[in-house]
Amino acid sequence: MPQEYRLILKHADEPGYTPDIDCYMRNGGYETLKKALSFQTKDLPDGKKQTPQEQIRQEVTTSGLRGRGGAGFSCGLKWSLVDRKSGKPIYMICNADESEPGTFKDRQIIHKDPHQLIEGMIVACFGNDVHLAYIYIRGEMPEGARILNRALAEARAKNFLGKNILGKGYDLEIHIHRGAGAYICGEETGLIESLEGKRAYPRIKPPYFPAILGLYMCPTIVNNVETLAAVKHIVQMGGAEYAKLGTPNNTGTRIVSVSGHVKKPGYFEVEVGKATLGELIFDEKFGGGLRDGRKLKAIIPGGSSAKVFKAGEKFKVKRKGPDGQLTPVEVDLLDLPYDFDSLQQAGSMSGSGAIIVMDDSTDIVAALANLSEFYAHESCGQCTPCREGSLWMSKALHRLTNGHGRKQDADYLIRIAQGIQGRTICAFGEACSWPVLSFINKFKDEFEARGARDEAKHSSSAGAGPSGEMRIAASPQH
Amino acid sequence: MSNGVLTEQKPAPPPIEKIKVKIDGKEIEVPKMMPDWQGKLQATTMLQACELAGVEVPHYCYHPKLPVAGNCRMCLVEFGTPMMGPDRKPVLNPDGTPKIARSVLPYEPTSARGAIACASPISPGMEIYPSSPATKQMREGVLEYLLINHPLDCPICDQAGECKLQEYSVDYGKASSRFAEEKVHKPKQVNLGPRVMLDDERCILCSRCIRFTKDIAKDDALGFVERGSHSTLTKFPGKNFDNNYTLNTVDICPVGALTSKDFRFQMRVWFLKESKSICTSCGTGCNIVMGSRENKVYRYEPRENDAVNSCWMCDHGRLNYKWINRDDRLTKVGGSKLNVQYQDGAWSTALRAVSDALKNAATGSVAIIASARQTNEELYLLKKLGKKYDALTDSVGRMDKGDHLLLNADRNPNTTG
């Protein structure tokens, strides 16, 4: 049976472990930084030289680390895309704007082991020739900002930050910037705009790829908290060693947030792909199963924007056979390994690593209406399809939950959602349309039944036809 | 609306490399680089390439003289690029032509993934499909989303007749709406400043006015507040929208959100006769279009001329037209010394009288007072006449304060001839 594998959260919940620098250093803290700063230029077999910075980037590439923020993009590849010849400074930003509903992993690192993030960040900055970095922390986490500021001051006092770090001639400063409470600030270019002091309107790509034209139009790396914490361990243990954790192409450990109708909601660090969705929900060591007497209805596997799974679904997932060939294998929902590739092949994503469990007490229409309201509230309003579509969907869904539904609303909502995805400036378009598309596609009967019930109610109670009455109720100016 | 801009893109100077792209199946060679809104050479965009090919790409937020925002999404087009094999060489069709990989949604490969033509650079061998069914579907989608919360008050809207929502509705709109919810309500009749009114419900949040005010007029006075569908255009608190270029925002507003206090409710635009002219209110000489009906002038609008005024003109010049139709304007001619009574239609008599008087005039006895608001041609002839009589020739400007953009300190157009 799978176990928790605590790499990043190794000490976080140990009794007596405190977020101060002395405690961190008693447990081997900042040794990795010393190691990284003492890397020497290496001669490669092909006669070329590899600088210490290139060695760190190489280790991260070898580790196969994929971003822990949501998209699962290769961290090594992201770093390799940075424009290092522009002559402009390179900035590093730690994305600590953890706002995806259901996700509460980064705050564990920030609150319980902030120096681990800072050490990982310094190492990552050194590896990318960064001399100025920012931690953009979610506005709703004031305590986290306080803890990080204290930790930064401690690190500065010990010369892990500042000028000529540990006498090695490397300068770095890290600043904390608090958001003001907007989900869109987690989108990396929205975050950059916000950091520049503007409205967090995501930038159009092309041309504004952060690796080339990021913060202040300089090359910029934006990494998630957990990703940067993992960098510390990669440099500490070596990329190849880290890659042995987890499964091929889904290496390392991940902190999974399990919430919803389980007995033991919480966060669990596991090797990626070593535990299945079912184990993470039902195993005593993880979610501990559903509430007594309840049956599973649906799972959102990767934060609220991931497409929902319906209990009992089966998927074709490509598995490597004994002959090394990839062959599709049928896998039950609960047997899906919790990794990037399997969930993607099953039509959803592991996103921010947040599993939201819904049992059979859930009103699926109300659940979607709730999610949709969140997205309508958080849409930044910059581009048309998302701005208008997110509120449209939310209004239609609340009409359904308020007893003014129509049978056709299921298809109506699907068409609205299809008009958003793929047409927006940032991935928020997908984030707000995917829940609607997947909920309605998989639970269409419930949506149609709700609409049909309302139509019947209205046609029997009053003389007016259902659609006419609804129009009058919903749209007084008509 | 000054919309000559669509067709008046200048081709880049010759040394620029050309690349071949296909637009709606037709191959066309276009410059690799073209001037951006500031005139700086940048990679040619799909929209510029389509314009060179004579294919119009509908858009709201894009304006050739403003920074690209990419927010309206109306210019989304389906496109494809040459497919590359694992050997990094183009994959060929059986007939030897390069195989094109149409851009699709990574998570739904049956659906096209459009690119915004205004901001997406072209690449060699690229195929753009501005007339494909997928492109049309995207435009219909975007237009529908723009209209769901729009008040649809065209009958009382000043923009009617020159409104991009109306124009594109003809091509991409639906006869009836499937929107069954209550519309978002926002402030109406917002007084932005002394010359501009705002109707926030009509606003499609394209940000043209914000970008113009910030980047051209250099007066960061406008912005959005609130989020999502509740986003609202407004002026900064405590600041009035009162620079000398505010009325340009009314021109570039693609809908009826921003209206000129001077022009609103005065005349339906389709009744206006448009005459090309030049503004006479200062020495800059902005190119304009005069809108008139039955010999009454209703408005001036700027006419694009990159050598003079780009697409803009100042509020001072724009509103300085009322004298044309003023009742107390001196239209009669006459004079006691000429023995001509002030009256309409006395021009020929008066001119003859002047000409007779000048015939017998001695050199040095003639003075001529002329206005530098007259045309260069008139002033040239007057000067010639003055020389003949050895008359004193002097030119006096009407000096006031100029500004950083278009307004010249000399309010006379032709002081220096």
Side-chain angles (χ1 to χ4, degrees):
Chain A
M1 285 305 276
Q3 300 284 330
E4 263 209 87
Y5 187 100
R6 287 205 165 200
L7 182 71
I8 291 171
L9 296 181
K10 187 171 178 200
H11 302 296
D13 293 314
E14 278 172 6
Y17 191 81
T18 48
D20 59 274
I21 198 163
D22 295 329
C23 178
Y24 183 64
M25 290 183 72
R26 277 200 302 279
N27 288 280
Y30 288 105
E31 288 304 318
T32 310
L33 175 62
K34 289 174 193 160
K35 179 183 167 184
L37 289 176
S38 54
F39 276 8
Q40 299 296 319
T41 300
K42 215 162 59 178
D43 291 314
L44 295 178
D46 61 2
K48 284 187 187 142
K49 294 206 184 292
Q50 197 178 35
T51 63
Q53 286 82 356
E54 286 166 343
Q55 288 166 43
I56 289 171
R57 300 205 290 270
Q58 182 62 51
E59 291 298 339
V60 172
T61 305
T62 308
S63 75
L65 176 67
R66 293 172 70 166
R68 302 300 197 233
F73 191 74
S74 159
C75 183
L77 184 55
K78 189 180 239 184
W79 290 8
S80 76
L81 297 172
V82 172
D83 181 0
R84 298 180 195 281
K85 297 200 174 92
S86 66
K88 295 191 266 191
I90 300 169
Y91 293 110
M92 161 81 71
I93 301 170
C94 169
N95 186 344
D97 193 68
E98 184 177 59
S99 329
E100 183 73 13
T103 316
F104 40 89
K105 61 182 182 73
D106 293 341
R107 74 169 70 194
Q108 311 305 333
I109 302 171
I110 292 167
H111 279 226
K112 293 171 182 168
D113 207 357
H115 281 286
Q116 188 181 191
L117 165 63
I118 292 168
E119 185 178 7
M121 210 168 154
I122 302 171
V123 171
C125 287
F126 175 66
N128 285 292
D129 301 296
V130 172
H131 299 288
L132 185 56
Y134 296 89
I135 300 175
Y136 188 102
I137 188 165
R138 184 176 176 191
E140 291 89 334
M141 309 207 308
E143 184 60 20
R146 216 157 21 239
I147 291 167
L148 280 173
N149 263 322
R150 195 161 54 224
L152 285 175
E154 289 172 337
R156 254 177 234 126
K158 294 224 187 290
N159 192 221
F160 296 135
L161 275 176
K163 295 271 177 212
N164 193 16
I165 293 171
L166 301 178
K168 301 283 186 183
Y170 173 61
D171 303 339
L172 173 69
E173 195 43 79
I174 300 179
H175 298 292
I176 306 287
H177 183 92
R178 285 186 59 199
Y183 174 83
I184 199 63
C185 291
E187 200 278 345
E188 58 178 2
T189 58
L191 185 155
I192 288 171
E193 285 279 299
S194 171
L195 194 52
E196 288 184 5
K198 306 178 196 148
R199 263 175 91 89
Y201 274 168
R203 294 176 175 170
I204 47 173
K205 291 148 272 187
Y208 301 112
F209 295 107
I212 301 157
L213 295 170
L215 184 63
Y216 309 122
M217 293 297 134
C218 296
T220 303
I221 301 165
V222 185
N223 279 139
N224 171 259
V225 170
E226 192 186 344
T227 313
L228 287 170
V231 169
K232 183 226 149 182
H233 295 279
I234 289 164
V235 175
Q236 184 185 337
M237 63 205 283
E241 201 59 33
Y242 183 87
K244 287 180 187 161
L245 296 171
T247 50
N249 204 34
N250 296 273
T251 56
T253 66
R254 246 197 124 164
I255 307 170
V256 182
S257 320
V258 181
S259 64
H261 296 146
V262 286
K263 281 189 186 148
K264 269 176 55 194
Y267 53 93
F268 310 100
E269 188 174 358
V270 289
E271 286 185 68
V272 184
K274 289 283 174 74
T276 64
L277 209 43
E279 286 161 347
L280 286 168
I281 294 168
F282 289 98
D283 197 287
E284 277 309 310
K285 294 186 288 296
F286 303 115
L290 303 177
R291 298 178 298 176
D292 290 331
R294 289 290 172 191
K295 281 197 300 233
L296 182 68
K297 184 163 186 177
I299 305 167
I300 303 176
S304 63
S305 56
K307 288 187 175 173
V308 71
F309 288 136
K310 186 180 183 177
E313 271 192 278
K314 291 185 197 314
F315 307 98
K316 286 258 192 284
V317 175
K318 280 181 193 145
R319 286 272 169 80
K320 230 180 205 157
D323 53 352
Q325 291 291 313
L326 286 173
T327 43
V329 181
E330 193 173 78
V331 180
D332 282 336
L333 168 63
L334 294 180
D335 295 331
L336 270 179
Y338 195 74
D339 63 34
F340 296 98
D341 295 338
S342 302
L343 291 183
Q344 199 185 345
Q345 287 173 33
S348 186
M349 62 176 182
S350 61
S352 57
I355 300 174
I356 303 170
V357 183
M358 289 176 266
D359 70 20
D360 57 355
S361 70
T362 310
D363 175 347
I364 214 81
V365 181
L368 180 59
N370 184 33
L371 277 181
S372 207
E373 186 178 347
F374 169 79
Y375 285 108
H377 184 250
E378 293 296 343
S379 166
C380 79
Q382 183 182 199
C383 69
T384 310
C386 164
R387 175 182 70 229
E388 305 298 343
S390 58
L391 186 64
W392 189 359
M393 295 191 296
S394 172
K395 280 181 174 174
L397 282 160
H398 281 92
R399 187 162 47 71
L400 266 172
T401 56
N402 289 334
H404 291 282
R406 304 171 298 174
K407 191 154 183 283
Q408 77 217 54
D409 279 333
D411 290 324
Y412 171 80
L413 277 157
I414 283 179
R415 284 203 303 271
I416 303 171
Q418 280 170 339
I420 305 173
Q421 62 164 2
R423 295 180 187 174
T424 52
I425 291 174
C426 76
F428 192 101
E430 278 78 21
C432 72
S433 56
W434 282 356
V436 172
L437 286 172
S438 60
F439 268 72
I440 299 181
N441 279 328
K442 293 183 181 180
F443 297 93
K444 198 164 185 182
D445 47 345
E446 293 195 31
F447 286 87
E448 291 189 335
R450 184 71 58 96
R453 192 193 66 190
D454 291 348
E455 283 187 358
K457 190 174 68 194
H458 289 296
S459 61
S460 62
S461 63
S467 61
E469 183 173 339
M470 187 282 306
R471 251 172 200 288
I472 292 159
S475 232
Q477 74 269 44
H478 271 292
Chain B
M1 290 279 303
S2 56
N3 258 319
V5 292
L6 263 180
T7 48
E8 286 176 31
Q9 287 284 351
K10 276 185 220 68
I16 288 165
E17 200 187 319
K18 297 229 169 183
I19 55 178
K20 279 181 184 164
V21 294
K22 260 189 189 175
I23 294 168
D24 275 340
K26 260 201 333 219
E27 193 162 75
I28 175 173
E29 221 178 32
V30 292
K32 195 179 172 187
M33 311 276 277
M34 282 181 72
D36 69 356
W37 68 282
Q38 289 169 303
K40 273 195 264 180
L41 282 181
Q42 297 284 355
T44 302
T45 63
M46 293 178 174
L47 193 136
Q48 288 171 319
C50 286
E51 275 171 8
L52 290 177
V55 178
E56 198 200 326
V57 178
H59 56 263
Y60 291 103
C61 69
Y62 170 77
H63 189 287
K65 303 291 180 193
L66 294 177
V68 172
N71 60 36
C72 76
R73 317 306 283 177
M74 192 63 191
C75 70
L76 278 170
V77 286
E78 190 190 8
F79 71 103
T81 44
M83 194 187 273
M84 290 291 174
D87 53 356
R88 306 296 303 148
K89 281 186 186 150
V91 182
L92 299 179
N93 286 318
D95 64 355
T97 54
K99 201 168 187 166
I100 298 295
R102 289 206 178 204
S103 176
V104 293
L105 296 178
Y107 44 83
E108 199 182 293
T110 49
S111 303
R113 183 184 147 267
I116 44 171
C118 67
S120 305
I122 51 166
S123 59
M126 179 182 263
E127 293 197 355
I128 308 169
Y129 313 111
S131 310
S132 75
T135 301
K136 187 162 182 278
Q137 204 182 26
M138 290 185 244
R139 290 174 187 169
E140 286 171 354
V142 171
L143 187 66
E144 178 182 24
Y145 286 67
L146 284 173
L147 287 172
I148 55 170
N149 286 309
H150 190 79
L152 302 175
D153 57 349
C154 308
I156 56 156
C157 177
D158 279 290
Q159 190 80 359
E162 51 184 12
C163 171
K164 287 286 171 194
L165 278 176
Q166 287 183 328
E167 286 171 28
Y168 295 146
S169 288
V170 175
D171 297 326
Y172 307 105
K174 293 192 180 80
S176 64
S177 169
R178 58 189 163 119
F179 185 70
E181 327 303 328
E182 186 173 351
K183 291 185 187 240
V184 174
H185 293 295
K186 291 187 200 172
K188 313 277 281 181
Q189 296 168 22
V190 181
N191 192 357
L192 280 187
R195 292 173 294 283
V196 180
M197 287 293 276
L198 164 67
D199 183 326
D200 263 310
E201 289 191 345
R202 291 179 188 158
C203 174
I204 59 165
L205 303 159
C206 72
S207 79
R208 273 182 173 188
C209 54
I210 297 176
R211 284 174 282 148
F212 171 83
T213 306
K214 180 167 179 281
D215 294 305
I216 308 285
K218 310 281 183 200
D219 171 34
D220 203 352
L222 301 177
F224 290 135
V225 291
E226 306 296 339
R227 284 197 307 225
S229 195
H230 301 285
S231 298
T232 306
L233 175 68
T234 187
K235 59 185 177 185
F236 278 97
K239 211 170 163 178
N240 221 10
F241 185 44
D242 186 17
N243 62 59
N244 194 23
Y245 293 89
T246 58
L247 288 169
N248 289 290
T249 62
V250 176
D251 296 336
I252 57 176
C253 180
V255 299
L258 295 174
T259 46
S260 156
K261 284 187 185 173
D262 179 63
F263 180 70
R264 67 202 306 255
F265 308 135
Q266 297 305 307
M267 183 49 62
R268 280 313 202 174
V269 296
W270 52 83
F271 291 131
L272 290 179
K273 182 177 146 199
E274 298 200 324
S275 318
K276 290 181 183 176
S277 188
I278 305 283
C279 175
T280 54
S281 294
C282 81
T284 303
C286 290
N287 291 210
I288 59 164
V289 174
M290 293 170 79
S292 62
R293 187 186 182 197
E294 292 173 357
N295 286 329
K296 187 175 174 204
V297 176
Y298 286 89
R299 68 174 178 187
Y300 282 0
E301 285 188 303
R303 176 163 54 94
E304 188 180 5
N305 183 342
D306 286 354
V308 183
N309 57 312
S310 185
C311 302
W312 323 119
M313 74 183 294
C314 74
D315 290 1
H316 167 80
R318 185 193 300 256
L319 295 178
N320 190 14
Y321 68 88
K322 303 226 158 129
W323 53 271
I324 299 172
N325 296 106
R326 250 167 72 171
D327 291 341
D328 59 348
R329 187 178 166 200
L330 189 61
T331 55
K332 301 177 167 84
V333 65
S336 56
K337 291 218 164 158
L338 295 172
N339 281 328
V340 179
Q341 279 210 325
Y342 277 99
Q343 58 180 342
D344 286 330
W347 278 99
S348 51
T349 326
L351 279 173
R352 202 170 309 119
V354 172
S355 145
D356 288 346
L358 283 175
K359 255 181 218 160
N360 306 320
T363 302
S365 71
V366 175
I368 303 169
I369 300 171
S371 162
R373 290 178 68 84
Q374 284 174 282
T375 65
N376 271 345
E377 292 77 5
E378 289 164 339
L379 291 171
Y380 170 77
L381 292 172
L382 277 172
K383 198 170 171 184
K384 215 169 146 185
L385 192 67
K387 256 189 190 153
K388 188 178 168 194
Y389 294 102
D390 209 10
L392 187 70
T393 312
D394 195 9
S395 175
V396 183
R398 223 156 27 105
M399 304 310 282
D400 204 328
K401 259 199 218 150
D403 70 12
H404 65 291
L405 198 54
L406 290 172
L407 183 63
N408 193 296
D410 185 0
R411 298 293 195 264
N412 278 338
N414 288 325
T415 305
T416 54

